Amino acid sequence: MNRPTHGALHHIEIWVPDLDRALASLGWLLQTLGYAVSQSWDTGRSWLLGSTYLVLEQSPALTADRYDRRRPGLNHLAFHVEDATTVDKLAADAAQHGWSLMFTELHPHAGGKQHYAAYLENADGFEVELVAISSPQNR
């Protein structure tokens, strides 16, 4: 593994209200994006891509049973995706894994004309943004 860049993100840990639901949606997405399962335990999983890892855990210390991205804290995660075609394929496939497309009337330019992305929400209210690295507008 290459030495990480100073200041680069080390890891993200997301506490989820239901690990099985999170594995069905977020786990599927992470593996589809190229993350590999790194660790697994009764209440969690971690996935690794390069030197960054992401953890999903159903912690016994949770103080709520529903995530709300509109409260202070993390609003969403955004991932680079190779191109617009891949964004479209992932958005279509995501419906089979517990995701629904957000901002449908503005899709795929909900972030602006020069921004090609799919905004998805899972059953627990967690949002991800899949952003095309290259799209017809920014080539």
Side-chain angles (χ1 to χ4, degrees):
M1 177 184 341
N2 293 333
R3 184 178 190 279
T5 302
H6 175 84
L9 190 62
H10 185 267
H11 76 275
I12 297 169
E13 184 168 329
I14 300 171
W15 283 9
V16 298
D18 185 292
L19 183 60
D20 289 334
R21 279 195 313 260
L23 294 175
S25 61
L26 283 159
W28 165 80
L29 180 62
L30 292 170
Q31 289 190 258
T32 301
L33 292 174
Y35 286 76
V37 173
S38 174
Q39 294 179 310
S40 182
W41 60 101
D42 288 345
T43 60
R45 290 290 176 290
S46 68
W47 287 264
L48 182 65
L49 182 64
S51 62
T52 302
Y53 68 95
L54 198 143
V55 177
L56 301 178
E57 184 173 9
Q58 185 176 343
S59 172
L62 283 171
T63 60
D65 62 357
R66 176 101 176 126
Y67 175 77
D68 186 343
R69 70 180 183 281
R70 292 164 296 216
R71 289 185 178 160
L74 181 69
N75 178 264
H76 69 279
L77 294 177
F79 296 94
H80 287 291
V81 174
E82 188 59 38
D83 53 30
T85 301
T86 307
V87 167
D88 293 340
K89 179 168 178 14
L90 285 170
D93 291 350
Q96 309 292 316
H97 299 278
W99 295 99
S100 59
L101 185 64
M102 302 171 70
F103 318 119
T104 55
E105 69 285 354
L106 300 172
H107 176 74
H109 299 290
K113 290 285 185 198
Q114 300 301 317
H115 188 73
Y116 197 100
Y119 295 81
L120 305 173
E121 182 179 36
N122 72 6
D124 288 316
F126 193 80
E127 178 185 344
V128 296
E129 179 181 354
L130 305 176
V131 182
I133 295 168
S134 62
S135 67
Q137 291 76 24
N138 62 14
R139 283 188 188 152

